[in-house]
């Protein structure tokens, strides 16, 4: 920093992860010199984490990409971004001409979500060119969250919120580290303070996780379940609640179908069976059922753990059933402090059921593999590598990767890398040359969060009270950098395509800026964007609060607008679970005598998936993605923390550094994903880590509705490596 440069403080919000914490950014000479939480922000009250406090490093580190790159004879050379767009558009046009629009796919990763404009414009571009090949990280995250309610139905007014509840059951979610949670779970906005307040108000917390997590430290009841056995445990808890007749009869009789069928399906899951299979003592199962059903308020929520384990839509369904059986929903007249978010249109929210729609799950545009379909306009990412490799009509030959890192994040790393290497055209827009960008034909230098105006959109409906926080760009991007939406508007200009957004069209070549795009997308915002732009940072909008409306008369008597406890397939899937010895049996090649451990997913505080490792301060905090194991398991294997181990699943093997972790259940290896790099980059695992997706098989054990493979509770053999 030059001595004469003055420091100016600008208000914004952090987008390193999804949590959107309000921050003050000190800027001098267009560089971020410090980041602090905003103490008087009404939602975050000054909270930030170590990643947010290193936002400046993220923007200015040595490997930051300031220019776009083109691969020539196997190595990258700088190219002007505008020339890159000319060349890319030409190649896209030729590929579409030859193979049809489906040949062009987009994959939007996490950085397209912490970003109000990236995802909507990408989607609109795909609609405009007629390409259904639209993929995001959601389908390798918690896709059951979208599919399970299509079979069960959903309650329009939502579940009872965590903070004002008497009890909460959290299954495989660790918000104190991930600052992430769906409604019903611990809100991710300053989570520890909210947890402490809720506990001071009498909340009783039940945590179900194979690891005694940071959140589990606060649990009144902790069930250290065997990885992958949540369906058994939840079936047992439901059976116990039914046996004690502890359900909300009034709610169930008015709004619910399938009670007898569900009761029949869970009947075999006795306390003894559950204790044996899920590894949770019978008295704890009984106590969890008693505590949850006693409520009288509070819901079940799940995180990525069970959503990535075998039978993920079944687990999600059973968790919805628990909420439904106990009637843990907002009722007519109760307050809605953030009715559907600030940035969406006003609409009455009623105490009634959005009916199940199971018929749409196997209808629409099919994928060419595994009998999977496109839901919600999004195709399952677990099939994208196959769609690139499988020849024939519909093959994906060109990919746009937007703020994602498939090489380390997509399931089955070997197949992913083979598929990416086979593409005719791969364009990555990223702020650094990620492992994925190394394989691309073009890398477009992207802006980072503080270089663009934005709104916290993906979490907008999740705030407990109506809140939003418009931010202008707080520093200027370098001239060659582009925002994600510009990849699409620049292609559209060159392909003569009109992109339609809710507020109007973007004609090919029209001159638009990021604020114009925000206006076009969020035209129905309850508070006009121009009003939001007048605010200095985050604010509550208490004037938007309403109450839950009574059900429409026609719905209240309709037999079809009911929540379904036993939709088609649930009884047979529970019966199939019952006869398994272990959920790992769904995976081809599983050998119980060899694969005696289960590898579970987890998040690390100082990095965000593959982001953050490029910054020394953050990397040094974590070291690597250790294979955390119980000390007794280390002794039994004859190894100590710091030793290298080989983890071998039926699909692949990796090396990792063992770490003694008494908080991990025996028989479990708890390890973070998205470390390592290209498989032939045989780096030191103690420094680079390793990629757990190498162990993931996409072709067996996947969920039949979402295609998500088994990405947690993966059966592995663990071996110490000597010498
Ligand atoms: N085995 C296993 N696999 C998993 C998981 C697991 O638990 N286990 N988790 C899954 C989950 S939940 C997810 S969400 C996915 C994540 O999958 P991805 O989203 O594909 O992976 P990330 O590492 O989050 O990729 C983010 C990329 O965006 C770049 N980036 C950061 N900021 C910006 C920006 O502002 N603009 C642009 N253009 N780029 C930016 C980063 O440099 C990085 O390369 O992985 C999934 N894969
Ligand atoms: N610091 C940081 N924050 C992040 C991320 C990050 O990488 N770092 N990633 C972001 C992303 S992309 C997402 S999707 C969210 C995810 O947010 P969370 O869902 O909270 O993710 P985790 O912290 O991994 O918590 C998952 C928990 O599931 C448990 N688990 C694993 N397998 C099983 C199982 O079979 N059964 C049960 N019951 N539990 C199991 C794990 O032990 C772990 O405690 O976090 C986001 N936030
Ligand atoms: S929790 Fe997420 S949004 Fe908040 S400071 Fe940390 S990285 Fe930024
Ligand atoms: Mo995620």
């Amino acid at each position: 920093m030059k001595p004469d440069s003055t420091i100016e403080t600008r208000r914004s919000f952090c987008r390193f992860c999804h949590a959107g914490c309000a921050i003050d950014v000190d800027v001098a000479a267009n560089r971020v010199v410090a980041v602090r939480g905003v103490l008087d922000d009404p939602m975050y009250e000054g909270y930030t984490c170590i990643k947010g406090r290193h936002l400046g490093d993220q923007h200015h580190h040595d490997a930051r990409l300031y220019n776009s790159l083109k691969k020539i004879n196997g190595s990258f050379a700088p190219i002007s971004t505008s020339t890159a767009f000319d060349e890319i558009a030409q190649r896209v046009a030729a590929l579409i001409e030859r193979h049809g629009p489906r040949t062009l796919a987009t994959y939007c990763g996490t950085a397209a979500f912490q970003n109000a404009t990236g995802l909507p414009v990408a989607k609109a571009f795909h609609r405009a060119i007629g390409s259904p090949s639209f993929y995001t990280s959601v389908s390798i995250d918690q896709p059951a969250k979208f599919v399970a309610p299509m079979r069960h139905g959903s309650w329009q007014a939502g579940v009872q919120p965590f903070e004002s509840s008497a009890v909460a059951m959290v299954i495989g979610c660790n918000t104190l580290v991930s600052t992430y949670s769906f409604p019903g779970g611990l809100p991710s906005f300053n989570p520890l303070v909210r947890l402490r307040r809720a506990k001071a108000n009498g909340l009783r917390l039940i945590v179900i996780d194979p690891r005694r997590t940071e959140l589990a430290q606060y649990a009144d009841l902790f069930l250290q379940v065997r990885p992958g056995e949540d369906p058994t445990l939840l079936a047992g808890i439901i059976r116990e609640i039914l046996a004690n007749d502890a359900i909300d009869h009034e709610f169930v009789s008015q709004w619910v179908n399938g009670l007898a069928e569900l009761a029949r399906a869970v009947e075999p899951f006795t306390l003894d069976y559950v204790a044996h299979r899920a590894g949770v003592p019978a008295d704890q199962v009984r106590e969890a059922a008693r505590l949850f059903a006693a409520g009288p308020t509070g819901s079940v929520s799940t995180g990525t753990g069970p959503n990535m384990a075998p039978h993920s839509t079944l687990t999600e369904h059973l968790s919805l059933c628990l909420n439904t059986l106990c009637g843990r929903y907002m009722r007519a007249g109760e307050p809605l402090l953030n009715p559907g978010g600030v940035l969406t249109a006003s609409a009455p929210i009623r105490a009634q059921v959005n009916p199940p729609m199971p018929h749409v799950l196997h209808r629409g545009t099919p994928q060419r593999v595994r009998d999977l379909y496109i839901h919600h306009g999004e195709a399952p990412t677990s099939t994208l590598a196959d769609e690139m490799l499988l020849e024939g009509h519909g093959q994906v030959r060109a990919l746009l990767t937007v703020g994602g890192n498939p090489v380390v994040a997509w399931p089955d790393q070997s197949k992913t890398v083979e598929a990416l290497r086979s593409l005719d055209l791969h364009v990555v827009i990223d702020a650094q040359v990620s492992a994925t960008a190394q394989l691309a034909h073009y890398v477009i230098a992207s802006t980072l969060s503080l270089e663009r105006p934005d709104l916290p959109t993906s979490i907008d409906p999740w705030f407990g009270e109506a809140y939003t926080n418009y931010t202008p760009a707080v520093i200027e991007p370098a001239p060659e950098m582009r925002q994600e939406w510009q990849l699409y508007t620049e292609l559209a200009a060159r392909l003569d395509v009109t992109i339609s957004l809710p507020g109007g069209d973007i004609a090919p070549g029209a001159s638009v800026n990021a604020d114009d795009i925000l206006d076009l997308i969020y035209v129905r915002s309850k508070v006009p964007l121009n009003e939001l732009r007048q605010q200095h940072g985050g604010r509550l909008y208490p004037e938007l609060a309403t109450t839950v409306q009574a059900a429409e008369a026609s719905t209240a008597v309709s037999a079809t607008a009911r929540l379904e406890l036993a939709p088609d397939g649930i009884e047979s899937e529970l019966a199939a679970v019952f006869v398994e010895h272990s959920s790992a049996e769904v995976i081809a090649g599983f050998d119980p005598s060899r694969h005696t451990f289960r590898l579970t997913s987890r998040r690390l505080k100082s990095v965000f998936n593959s982001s953050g490792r490029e910054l020394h301060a953050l990397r040094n905090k974590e070291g690597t993605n250790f294979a955390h194991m119980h000390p007794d398991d280390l002794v039994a294997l004859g190894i100590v923390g710091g030793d290298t181990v080989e983890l071998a699943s039926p699909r692949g093997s990796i090396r990792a550094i063992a770490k003694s972790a008494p908080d991990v259940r025996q028989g479990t290896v708890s390890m973070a994903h998205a470390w390592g790099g290209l498989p032939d980059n045989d780096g030191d695992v103690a420094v680079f880590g390793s990629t757990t997706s190498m162990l993931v098989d996409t072709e067996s054990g996947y969920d039949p509705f979402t295609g998500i493979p088994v990405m947690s509770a993966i059966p592995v053999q663990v071996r110490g490596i000597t010498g």
Side-chain angles (χ1 to χ4, degrees), residues 7-26:
I7 292 182
E8 226 186 281
T9 301
R10 298 183 186 155
R11 191 146 284 189
S12 187
F13 68 93
C14 177
R15 284 149 277 170
F16 208 124
C17 88
H18 317 66
C21 301
I23 51 173
D24 276 332
V25 185
D26 289 347

Side-chain angles (χ1 to χ4, degrees), residues 69-72 77-95 424-425 427 441-444 487 490-491 494-495:
L69 303 171
K70 176 184 181 180
K71 181 84 61 65
I72 301 171
I79 182 172
S80 98
T81 304
S82 161
T83 309
F85 285 144
D86 290 342
E87 296 183 11
I88 294 162
Q90 238 172 37
R91 293 173 71 172
V92 165
L95 285 166
D424 289 333
L425 176 66
V427 179
H441 299 104
Y442 294 89
V443 188
I444 304 298
L487 172 61
E490 294 290 328
L491 282 187
R494 289 161 175 83
L495 298 172

Side-chain angles (χ1 to χ4, degrees), residues 119-134:
L119 192 77
V121 176
K123 251 187 180 161
F125 174 85
H126 272 260
R127 274 196 303 273
I129 65 163
S131 168
S133 303
F134 188 78

Side-chain angles (χ1 to χ4, degrees), residues 348-404:
I349 296 178
R350 298 184 183 278
Q352 68 186 34
V353 171
N354 296 322
M357 301 185 288
H359 45 281
V360 304
L361 289 171
H362 281 96
R363 207 174 66 186
T365 312
Q367 290 298 89
R368 295 182 304 147
V369 293
R370 299 199 276 287
D371 195 26
L372 294 165
Y373 287 75
I374 299 181
H375 301 305
H376 300 84
E378 288 186 22
T381 294
S382 60
T383 62
L384 182 44
D386 301 283
E387 293 287 347
M388 299 193 288
L389 290 168
L390 183 65
E391 288 176 9
H393 188 65
Q395 186 180 12
V396 170
R397 301 297 318 145
L399 175 67
L400 309 175
T401 294
V402 180

Side-chain angles (χ1 to χ4, degrees), residues 471-509:
T471 179
V474 304
I475 54 173
E476 286 289 316
E480 288 297 309
M481 291 176 183
R482 294 295 182 274
Q483 296 177 39
E484 294 68 18
W485 60 269
Q486 288 177 297
L487 172 61
Y488 294 94
T489 53
E490 294 290 328
L491 282 187
R494 289 161 175 83
L495 298 172
D496 199 28
V497 165
T498 299
I499 296 177
S500 297
L501 293 169
D505 290 349
I506 307 170

Side-chain angles (χ1 to χ4, degrees), residues 246-258:
I247 65 173
D248 181 339
H249 283 286
E250 201 184 323
F251 183 81
V252 169
S253 63
Q254 188 177 356
W255 293 111
V256 181
N257 281 337

